[in-house]
Amino acid sequence: MRDLLPLRFRILHYLSTVEKACVDEIMKALKPEYGTEKQFRKQVFMNHLLDMKANFILEDNDVALDEKGELVIYYSINPEGRKLLEKYLPKRWTK
């Protein structure tokens, strides 16, 4: 089993494996790894996503309304985020 990455970095890593994802999709994908952690809350994930967007390593590139009429924002990694992964991602996490 792999060692856990810090959650923020793991979110970035996950976004490098998909075209785009919203917070609920990211949480669903990472639940097997981080679901028992105290930090596994939607607000924590949203804060990480917004912070990474503010630091220009993610982009919000699509929006939609869910069945409840709430705004859903989709994020994707950008070239700066990929450079960050290339530089700091442990080799055991690369394909």
Side-chain angles (χ1 to χ4, degrees), residues 10-26:
R10 182 62 177 100
I11 292 169
L12 185 64
H13 176 261
Y14 174 74
L15 287 170
S16 74
T17 67
V18 295
E19 185 178 331
K20 63 182 180 179
C22 68
V23 67
D24 291 330
E25 293 169 346
I26 297 167

